[in-house]
Coordinates of all heavy atoms in Angstrom, one line a residue:
M34 N 84.5 116.0 87.0 CA 84.7 115.3 88.2 C 85.2 116.3 89.3 O 86.1 117.0 89.1 CB 85.7 114.2 88.0 CG 86.1 113.4 89.2 SD 87.1 112.0 88.6 CE 88.1 111.8 90.1
N35 N 84.6 116.2 90.5 CA 85.1 117.1 91.6 C 86.2 116.5 92.3 O 86.3 115.2 92.5 CB 83.9 117.3 92.6 CG 82.8 118.1 92.0 OD1 83.0 118.8 91.1 ND2 81.6 117.9 92.5
T36 N 87.2 117.3 92.6 CA 88.3 116.9 93.4 C 87.9 116.9 94.9 O 87.4 117.9 95.4 CB 89.5 117.8 93.2 OG1 89.8 117.8 91.8 CG2 90.7 117.3 94.0
P37 N 88.2 115.8 95.6 CA 87.8 115.8 97.0 C 88.6 116.8 97.8 O 89.6 117.3 97.4 CB 88.2 114.4 97.5 CG 88.4 113.6 96.3 CD 88.7 114.6 95.2
S38 N 88.0 117.3 98.9 CA 88.7 118.3 99.8 C 88.9 117.7 101.1 O 88.5 116.6 101.5 CB 87.8 119.5 99.9 OG 86.5 119.2 100.5
G39 N 89.7 118.4 102.0 CA 90.0 118.0 103.3 C 90.8 116.8 103.3 O 91.7 116.6 102.5
E40 N 90.5 115.9 104.3 CA 91.2 114.6 104.4 C 91.1 113.8 103.2 O 92.1 113.1 102.7 CB 90.8 113.9 105.7 CG 91.6 112.6 105.9 CD 91.2 111.9 107.2 OE1 90.7 112.5 108.1 OE2 91.4 110.6 107.2
D41 N 89.9 113.7 102.6 CA 89.7 113.0 101.4 C 90.6 113.5 100.3 O 91.1 112.7 99.5 CB 88.2 113.0 101.0 CG 87.3 112.2 101.9 OD1 87.8 111.4 102.6 OD2 86.1 112.5 101.9
G42 N 90.7 114.8 100.2 CA 91.6 115.4 99.2 C 93.0 115.0 99.3 O 93.7 114.7 98.4
F43 N 93.4 115.0 100.6 CA 94.8 114.6 100.9 C 95.1 113.2 100.5 O 96.1 112.8 99.8 CB 95.1 114.8 102.4 CG 96.4 114.2 102.8 CD1 97.6 114.9 102.5 CD2 96.5 113.0 103.5 CE1 98.8 114.4 102.9 CE2 97.7 112.5 103.8 CZ 98.9 113.2 103.5
L44 N 94.1 112.3 100.9 CA 94.3 110.9 100.5 C 94.3 110.7 99.0 O 95.0 109.8 98.5 CB 93.2 110.0 101.2 CG 93.3 109.9 102.7 CD1 92.0 109.2 103.3 CD2 94.6 109.2 103.2
Y45 N 93.4 111.4 98.3 CA 93.3 111.3 96.9 C 94.6 111.7 96.2 O 95.2 111.0 95.4 CB 92.2 112.2 96.4 CG 92.0 112.3 94.9 CD1 91.4 111.3 94.2 CD2 92.5 113.4 94.2 CE1 91.3 111.3 92.8 CE2 92.4 113.4 92.8 CZ 91.8 112.4 92.1 OH 91.7 112.5 90.7
E46 N 95.2 112.8 96.7 CA 96.5 113.3 96.1 C 97.6 112.3 96.5 O 98.5 112.1 95.6 CB 96.8 114.7 96.7 CG 95.9 115.8 96.1 CD 96.0 116.0 94.7 OE1 97.2 115.9 94.1 OE2 95.0 116.2 94.0
L47 N 97.6 111.8 97.7 CA 98.6 110.8 98.1 C 98.5 109.6 97.2 O 99.6 109.1 96.8 CB 98.5 110.5 99.6 CG 99.5 109.5 100.2 CD1 100.9 110.0 100.0 CD2 99.2 109.2 101.6
Q48 N 97.3 109.1 97.0 CA 97.2 108.0 96.1 C 97.7 108.2 94.7 O 98.4 107.4 94.1 CB 95.7 107.5 96.0 CG 95.5 106.3 95.2 CD 94.0 105.8 95.2 OE1 93.2 106.4 95.8 NE2 93.8 104.7 94.5
I49 N 97.4 109.4 94.2 CA 97.9 109.7 92.8 C 99.5 109.7 92.8 O 100.1 109.2 91.9 CB 97.4 111.1 92.4 CG1 95.9 111.2 92.3 CG2 98.1 111.6 91.1 CD1 95.3 110.6 91.1
E50 N 100.1 110.3 93.8 CA 101.5 110.4 93.9 C 102.1 109.0 94.1 O 103.1 108.7 93.4 CB 102.0 111.2 95.1 CG 101.7 112.7 94.9 CD 102.6 113.3 93.9 OE1 103.8 112.9 93.8 OE2 102.1 114.2 93.1
V51 N 101.6 108.1 94.9 CA 102.1 106.8 95.1 C 101.9 106.0 93.9 O 102.8 105.2 93.5 CB 101.4 106.1 96.3 CG1 101.9 104.7 96.5 CG2 101.8 106.9 97.6
E52 N 100.8 106.1 93.2 CA 100.6 105.3 91.9 C 101.6 105.8 90.9 O 102.2 104.9 90.2 CB 99.2 105.6 91.4 CG 98.1 104.8 92.2 CD 96.7 105.2 91.7 OE1 96.5 106.2 91.0 OE2 95.8 104.4 92.1
A53 N 102.0 107.0 90.8 CA 103.0 107.5 89.9 C 104.4 106.9 90.3 O 105.1 106.5 89.4 CB 103.0 109.0 89.9
E54 N 104.7 106.9 91.5 CA 105.9 106.3 92.0 C 106.0 104.8 91.6 O 107.0 104.3 91.2 CB 106.2 106.5 93.5 CG 106.5 107.9 93.8 CD 107.8 108.4 93.3 OE1 108.8 107.6 93.3 OE2 107.9 109.6 92.9
V55 N 104.9 104.1 91.8 CA 104.9 102.6 91.5 C 105.1 102.5 90.0 O 105.9 101.6 89.6 CB 103.5 102.0 91.9 CG1 103.4 100.6 91.3 CG2 103.4 101.9 93.4
T56 N 104.5 103.3 89.2 CA 104.7 103.2 87.8 C 106.1 103.5 87.4 O 106.7 102.7 86.6 CB 103.8 104.2 87.0 OG1 102.4 103.9 87.3 CG2 104.0 104.2 85.5
L57 N 106.7 104.4 88.0 CA 108.1 104.8 87.8 C 109.1 103.6 88.1 O 109.9 103.2 87.4 CB 108.5 106.0 88.6 CG 109.9 106.6 88.3 CD1 110.0 107.0 86.9 CD2 110.2 107.7 89.3
V58 N 108.8 103.0 89.3 CA 109.6 101.8 89.7 C 109.4 100.6 88.7 O 110.4 100.0 88.3 CB 109.3 101.4 91.1 CG1 110.0 100.1 91.5 CG2 109.8 102.5 92.1
E59 N 108.2 100.4 88.3 CA 107.9 99.3 87.4 C 108.6 99.5 86.1 O 109.1 98.6 85.5 CB 106.4 99.2 87.1 CG 105.6 98.7 88.3 CD 104.1 98.7 88.0 OE1 103.6 99.4 87.1 OE2 103.4 98.0 88.7
T60 N 108.7 100.8 85.6 CA 109.3 101.0 84.3 C 110.8 101.0 84.4 O 111.5 101.0 83.3 CB 108.8 102.3 83.7 OG1 109.1 103.4 84.6 CG2 107.3 102.3 83.4
S61 N 111.4 101.0 85.6 CA 112.8 100.9 85.7 C 113.3 99.5 85.4 O 114.5 99.3 85.1 CB 113.3 101.3 87.1 OG 112.9 100.3 88.0
R62 N 112.5 98.5 85.3 CA 112.8 97.1 85.0 C 114.0 96.6 85.7 O 115.0 96.3 85.1 CB 113.0 97.0 83.5 CG 111.7 97.4 82.7 CD 111.8 97.2 81.3 NE 110.5 97.5 80.7 CZ 110.4 97.9 79.4 NH1 111.5 97.9 78.6 NH2 109.3 98.1 78.9
P63 N 113.9 96.4 87.0 CA 115.0 96.0 87.8 C 115.5 94.6 87.4 O 116.7 94.3 87.5 CB 114.5 96.0 89.2 CG 113.0 96.0 89.1 CD 112.7 96.7 87.8
E64 N 114.6 93.7 86.9 CA 115.0 92.4 86.4 C 116.0 92.4 85.3 O 116.9 91.6 85.2 CB 113.8 91.5 86.1 CG 112.9 92.0 84.9 CD 112.0 93.1 85.2 OE1 111.8 93.5 86.3 OE2 111.4 93.6 84.2
E65 N 115.8 93.4 84.4 CA 116.8 93.6 83.3 C 118.1 94.1 83.8 O 119.2 93.7 83.3 CB 116.2 94.5 82.2 CG 115.0 93.9 81.5 CD 114.4 94.8 80.5 OE1 115.0 95.9 80.1 OE2 113.3 94.5 80.0
A66 N 118.1 95.0 84.7 CA 119.3 95.6 85.3 C 120.1 94.5 86.0 O 121.4 94.5 85.9 CB 119.0 96.7 86.2
A67 N 119.5 93.6 86.6 CA 120.1 92.5 87.3 C 120.9 91.6 86.4 O 121.9 91.0 86.8 CB 119.1 91.7 88.1
E68 N 120.6 91.6 85.1 CA 121.3 90.7 84.1 C 122.6 91.4 83.6 O 123.4 90.7 83.0 CB 120.3 90.4 82.9 CG 119.1 89.6 83.3 CD 118.1 89.5 82.2 OE1 118.3 90.0 81.1 OE2 117.1 88.8 82.4
L69 N 122.7 92.7 83.9 CA 123.9 93.4 83.4 C 125.0 93.2 84.4 O 124.8 92.9 85.6 CB 123.6 94.9 83.3 CG 122.5 95.3 82.3 CD1 122.2 96.8 82.5 CD2 123.0 95.0 80.9
P70 N 126.3 93.5 84.0 CA 127.4 93.4 85.0 C 127.2 94.6 86.0 O 126.6 95.6 85.7 CB 128.6 93.7 84.2 CG 128.2 93.5 82.7 CD 126.7 93.7 82.7
V71 N 127.6 94.3 87.3 CA 127.4 95.3 88.3 C 127.9 96.6 88.0 O 127.3 97.7 88.4 CB 128.0 94.7 89.6 CG1 127.9 95.8 90.8 CG2 127.4 93.4 90.1
T72 N 129.0 96.7 87.3 CA 129.6 98.0 86.9 C 128.7 98.8 86.0 O 129.0 100.0 85.9 CB 131.0 97.8 86.2 OG1 130.8 96.9 85.1 CG2 132.0 97.1 87.2
E73 N 127.7 98.2 85.4 CA 126.8 99.0 84.5 C 125.5 99.3 85.1 O 124.6 100.0 84.5 CB 126.6 98.1 83.2 CG 127.8 98.0 82.4 CD 127.5 97.2 81.1 OE1 126.4 97.3 80.6 OE2 128.4 96.6 80.6
W74 N 125.3 98.9 86.4 CA 124.0 99.2 87.1 C 123.9 100.7 87.3 O 124.8 101.4 87.8 CB 123.9 98.5 88.4 CG 123.7 97.0 88.3 CD1 123.5 96.3 87.2 CD2 123.6 96.2 89.4 NE1 123.4 95.0 87.6 CE2 123.4 94.9 88.9 CE3 123.7 96.3 90.8 CZ2 123.2 93.8 89.8 CZ3 123.6 95.2 91.6 CH2 123.3 93.9 91.1
L75 N 122.7 101.3 87.0 CA 122.4 102.6 87.4 C 121.8 102.7 88.8 O 121.7 103.7 89.4 CB 121.5 103.3 86.4 CG 122.0 103.4 84.9 CD1 120.9 103.9 84.0 CD2 123.2 104.3 84.9
F76 N 121.3 101.5 89.2 CA 120.7 101.4 90.5 C 120.8 99.9 90.9 O 121.0 99.1 90.1 CB 119.2 101.8 90.5 CG 118.3 101.1 89.5 CD1 117.8 99.9 89.8 CD2 118.2 101.6 88.2 CE1 117.0 99.2 88.9 CE2 117.4 100.9 87.3 CZ 116.8 99.7 87.6
D77 N 120.6 99.6 92.2 CA 120.7 98.3 92.7 C 119.3 97.7 92.5 O 118.3 98.2 93.0 CB 121.0 98.2 94.2 CG 121.2 96.8 94.7 OD1 120.6 95.9 94.2 OD2 121.9 96.6 95.7
P78 N 119.1 96.6 91.7 CA 117.8 96.0 91.4 C 117.1 95.6 92.6 O 115.9 95.7 92.7 CB 118.1 94.8 90.5 CG 119.5 95.1 89.9 CD 120.2 96.0 90.9
T79 N 117.8 95.1 93.6 CA 117.2 94.7 94.9 C 116.5 95.9 95.6 O 115.4 95.8 96.1 CB 118.2 94.0 95.8 OG1 118.8 92.9 95.1 CG2 117.6 93.5 97.1
D80 N 117.2 97.0 95.6 CA 116.6 98.2 96.2 C 115.4 98.6 95.4 O 114.4 99.1 96.1 CB 117.6 99.4 96.1 CG 118.8 99.2 97.1 OD1 118.7 98.4 98.1 OD2 119.8 99.9 97.0
A81 N 115.4 98.5 94.1 CA 114.2 98.9 93.3 C 113.0 97.9 93.7 O 111.9 98.4 93.8 CB 114.5 98.8 91.8
E82 N 113.3 96.7 93.9 CA 112.2 95.7 94.3 C 111.7 96.1 95.6 O 110.5 96.0 95.9 CB 112.7 94.3 94.2 CG 112.9 93.7 92.9 CD 113.4 92.3 92.9 OE1 112.9 91.5 93.7 OE2 114.2 91.9 92.1
R83 N 112.6 96.4 96.6 CA 112.2 96.7 97.9 C 111.3 98.0 97.9 O 110.3 98.1 98.6 CB 113.4 97.0 98.8 CG 113.8 95.7 99.6 CD 114.9 96.1 100.5 NE 116.0 96.1 99.7 CZ 117.2 95.6 100.0 NH1 117.5 95.3 101.1 NH2 118.2 95.5 99.1
E84 N 111.7 99.0 97.1 CA 110.9 100.2 97.0 C 109.5 99.9 96.4 O 108.6 100.5 96.9 CB 111.7 101.2 96.1 CG 110.9 102.5 96.0 CD 111.7 103.6 95.2 OE1 112.8 103.3 94.6 OE2 111.1 104.7 95.0
E85 N 109.5 99.1 95.4 CA 108.2 98.8 94.8 C 107.3 98.1 95.9 O 106.1 98.4 96.0 CB 108.3 97.9 93.6 CG 107.0 97.6 92.9 CD 107.1 96.7 91.7 OE1 108.3 96.5 91.2 OE2 106.1 96.4 91.1
I86 N 107.8 97.2 96.6 CA 107.0 96.5 97.7 C 106.5 97.5 98.7 O 105.4 97.5 99.1 CB 107.9 95.4 98.3 CG1 108.1 94.2 97.3 CG2 107.2 94.9 99.6 CD1 109.2 93.2 97.7
G87 N 107.4 98.4 99.1 CA 107.0 99.4 100.1 C 105.9 100.3 99.5 O 105.0 100.7 100.2
L88 N 106.1 100.7 98.3 CA 105.1 101.6 97.7 C 103.7 100.9 97.5 O 102.7 101.5 97.7 CB 105.6 102.1 96.3 CG 106.7 103.1 96.3 CD1 107.3 103.3 94.9 CD2 106.2 104.5 96.9
R89 N 103.8 99.7 97.2 CA 102.5 98.9 97.1 C 101.8 98.8 98.4 O 100.6 98.9 98.5 CB 102.7 97.6 96.4 CG 103.0 97.7 94.9 CD 103.1 96.3 94.2 NE 103.5 96.5 92.9 CZ 102.7 96.9 91.9 NH1 101.4 97.3 92.2 NH2 103.1 97.0 90.6
G90 N 102.6 98.6 99.5 CA 102.0 98.6 100.8 C 101.4 99.9 101.2 O 100.3 100.0 101.8
L91 N 102.1 101.0 100.9 CA 101.6 102.3 101.1 C 100.3 102.6 100.3 O 99.4 103.1 100.9 CB 102.7 103.4 100.8 CG 102.3 104.8 101.0 CD1 101.9 105.1 102.4 CD2 103.5 105.7 100.6
L92 N 100.3 102.2 99.1 CA 99.1 102.3 98.3 C 97.9 101.6 98.9 O 96.8 102.1 98.9 CB 99.4 101.9 96.8 CG 98.3 102.1 95.8 CD1 98.0 103.6 95.7 CD2 98.8 101.6 94.4
D93 N 98.2 100.3 99.3 CA 97.1 99.6 100.0 C 96.6 100.3 101.2 O 95.4 100.3 101.5 CB 97.6 98.2 100.4 CG 97.8 97.3 99.2 OD1 97.3 97.6 98.1 OD2 98.5 96.2 99.3
A94 N 97.5 100.9 102.0 CA 97.1 101.6 103.2 C 96.3 102.8 102.9 O 95.3 103.1 103.5 CB 98.3 102.0 104.0
V95 N 96.7 103.6 101.9 CA 95.9 104.8 101.4 C 94.5 104.3 101.0 O 93.5 105.0 101.4 CB 96.6 105.5 100.3 CG1 95.8 106.6 99.7 CG2 97.9 106.1 100.8
E96 N 94.4 103.3 100.2 CA 93.1 102.8 99.7 C 92.2 102.4 100.9 O 91.0 102.6 100.9 CB 93.3 101.7 98.7 CG 93.9 102.2 97.4 CD 94.3 101.1 96.5 OE1 94.2 99.9 96.8 OE2 94.6 101.4 95.3
A97 N 92.8 101.7 101.9 CA 92.1 101.3 103.1 C 91.6 102.6 103.9 O 90.4 102.6 104.3 CB 92.9 100.5 104.0
L98 N 92.4 103.6 104.0 CA 92.0 104.8 104.6 C 90.8 105.5 103.9 O 89.9 106.0 104.5 CB 93.1 105.8 104.8 CG 94.2 105.4 105.9 CD1 95.4 106.3 105.8 CD2 93.5 105.5 107.3
E99 N 91.0 105.5 102.6 CA 89.9 106.1 101.7 C 88.6 105.3 101.9 O 87.5 106.0 102.1 CB 90.3 106.1 100.3 CG 91.3 107.1 99.9 CD 91.6 107.1 98.4 OE1 91.7 106.0 97.8 OE2 91.8 108.2 97.8
D100 N 88.6 104.0 102.0 CA 87.4 103.2 102.2 C 86.8 103.5 103.6 O 85.6 103.7 103.7 CB 87.7 101.7 102.1 CG 88.0 101.3 100.7 OD1 87.7 102.0 99.7 OD2 88.6 100.2 100.5
D101 N 87.7 103.6 104.6 CA 87.2 103.9 105.9 C 86.5 105.3 106.0 O 85.5 105.5 106.6 CB 88.3 103.9 107.0 CG 88.8 102.5 107.3 OD1 88.1 101.5 106.9 OD2 89.8 102.3 107.9
S102 N 87.2 106.3 105.3 CA 86.7 107.6 105.2 C 85.3 107.7 104.5 O 84.4 108.3 105.0 CB 87.7 108.5 104.5 OG 87.2 109.8 104.4
R103 N 85.1 106.9 103.5 CA 83.9 106.9 102.7 C 82.8 106.2 103.6 O 81.6 106.7 103.6 CB 84.0 106.1 101.4 CG 84.6 107.0 100.3 CD 84.5 106.3 99.0 NE 85.9 106.5 98.5 CZ 86.6 105.5 98.1 NH1 86.2 104.3 98.1 NH2 87.9 105.7 97.6
R104 N 83.1 105.2 104.3 CA 82.1 104.5 105.2 C 81.7 105.4 106.3 O 80.6 105.4 106.7 CB 82.7 103.2 105.7 CG 82.5 102.0 104.8 CD 82.8 100.7 105.5 NE 83.8 100.1 104.7 CZ 85.1 99.8 105.0 NH1 85.5 100.0 106.2 NH2 85.9 99.2 104.1
G105 N 82.7 106.2 106.8 CA 82.4 107.1 107.9 C 81.4 108.2 107.4 O 80.6 108.7 108.2
D106 N 81.5 108.6 106.2 CA 80.7 109.7 105.6 C 79.2 109.2 105.5 O 78.3 109.9 105.6 CB 81.2 110.2 104.3 CG 82.5 111.0 104.3 OD1 82.8 111.4 105.4 OD2 83.1 111.1 103.3
H107 N 79.1 107.9 105.2 CA 77.7 107.4 104.9 C 77.1 106.6 106.0 O 75.9 106.5 106.1 CB 77.8 106.5 103.6 CG 78.2 107.2 102.4 ND1 79.0 108.4 102.4 CD2 78.0 107.0 101.1 CE1 79.2 108.8 101.2 NE2 78.6 108.0 100.4
G108 N 78.0 106.0 106.8 CA 77.5 105.0 107.8 C 77.1 105.6 109.2 O 76.4 105.0 109.9
A109 N 77.7 106.7 109.6 CA 77.5 107.2 110.9 C 76.3 108.0 111.1 O 75.4 108.4 110.8 CB 78.7 108.0 111.4

């Protein structure tokens, strides 16, 4: 499989990075941390949820840019 270059390469790499961050936030299991006493929290579960929402929005934006880029390559 060829790795895209230029702007497509940047978007591809960004998507990989964001997907990795989403996976990391998902595996932190903020819902389980919320059940613990506050003194045992390693992170604020609400912050983790906000981060996941933001990362998913970023991932959607990257995917939209990739789609636009592909259409521009074939459609113009």
Side-chain angles (χ1 to χ4, degrees):
M34 177 174 150
N35 292 336
T36 302
S38 61
E40 185 177 331
D41 290 339
F43 172 77
L44 292 174
Y45 176 78
E46 291 295 323
L47 182 58
Q48 181 175 2
I49 298 282
E50 289 292 321
V51 173
E52 287 174 346
E54 289 292 323
V55 168
T56 300
L57 187 62
V58 170
E59 287 174 344
T60 59
S61 70
R62 299 186 177 157
E64 64 281 352
E65 290 178 13
E68 295 172 1
L69 298 172
V71 175
T72 56
E73 294 184 28
W74 286 0
L75 298 176
F76 58 87
D77 185 333
T79 303
D80 288 343
E82 286 183 39
R83 269 185 276 219
E84 182 177 0
E85 183 177 355
I86 290 167
L88 287 168
R89 289 188 184 283
L91 180 58
L92 188 57
D93 289 344
V95 170
E96 289 171 352
L98 285 171
E99 285 182 321
D100 289 346
D101 286 349
S102 178
R103 278 188 231 125
R104 271 190 237 121
D106 289 344
H107 299 25

